[in-house]
Amino acid sequence: MSETAPSSATTATRPGRSTGVNHFVLNVRDIEASHRFWTEIMGWEHHGTLDPKRRIMRFYRASADKHHDLALVQVDQPEQAPEVDRWSMAGRRPGINHIAITYPTRDEFLRQLEHLTANGVEFLVRGDHGMTHSVYIADPDGNGIEVLYELPADVWEGDV
């Protein structure tokens, strides 16, 4: 299959400039387990539910400045869904490698790490990337979650 993309020499348009990712949607096997993870472990607010006849969708947010940052969708026939990888970052399946969740201060980041530890969440990888301090965990479906604190720009600017 061949895709034909317009040549930049013949196209007078440019892509629009986005402000970033607005939200993400995860298909999950067990919406109740995922709900507990995102509310009790990650501390996000359950902000609404769409419950059509075939599929349940729930909305979550980290702060009150927008409708939602995340939506969870219950997959059809979860008992027939493929086996869950322990961690999406293992590189055995296509799709999202991980989702990065940032904390505004080092103290809030450390508070979240303490909460994760107290709740038995396994730290799969710890990292100092130069621009962030990070801990990688997995949600109930094995999706990689990077919990991070981004260092001030003067620490990493010009050396990413």
Side-chain angles (χ1 to χ4, degrees):
M1 183 169 127
S2 171
E3 291 185 36
T4 305
S7 164
S8 61
T10 61
T11 304
T13 64
R14 296 182 332 185
R17 184 171 175 90
S18 77
T19 58
V21 175
N22 180 270
H23 67 273
F24 55 98
V25 180
L26 295 175
N27 292 333
V28 298
R29 286 175 174 260
D30 181 344
I31 202 160
E32 296 304 329
S34 292
H35 172 83
R36 286 188 302 275
F37 175 82
W38 285 100
T39 58
E40 296 172 17
I41 301 301
M42 297 304 294
W44 288 25
E45 175 189 358
H46 175 215
H47 186 57
T49 300
L50 179 64
D51 195 1
K53 292 180 182 178
R54 287 194 60 215
R55 193 167 284 135
I56 298 170
M57 181 180 241
R58 292 185 183 167
F59 301 96
Y60 301 83
R61 62 186 181 186
S63 65
D65 64 340
K66 63 183 183 178
H67 183 272
H68 66 282
D69 298 287
L70 160 73
L72 302 175
V73 179
Q74 175 73 51
V75 298
D76 295 333
Q77 302 175 331
E79 66 284 350
Q80 294 180 12
E83 188 64 30
V84 174
D85 280 346
R86 177 174 175 246
W87 191 30
S88 62
M89 288 182 66
R92 292 186 291 267
R93 61 177 165 141
I96 293 173
N97 182 277
H98 71 279
I99 299 159
I101 308 295
T102 190
Y103 289 81
T105 65
R106 187 171 188 279
D107 286 343
E108 284 296 319
F109 168 71
L110 294 174
R111 179 176 164 192
Q112 179 62 11
L113 298 187
E114 182 179 344
H115 179 69
L116 294 172
T117 300
N119 282 277
V121 176
E122 181 183 4
F123 292 0
L124 300 167
V125 174
R126 297 174 191 207
D128 177 349
H129 300 303
M131 70 288 233
T132 66
H133 293 167
S134 303
V135 170
Y136 294 84
I137 62 175
D139 78 355
D141 287 290
N143 293 303
I145 309 291
E146 179 183 6
V147 175
L148 70 89
Y149 166 63
E150 187 168 344
L151 298 167
D154 62 345
V155 172
W156 53 261
E157 204 162 43
D159 188 29
V160 177

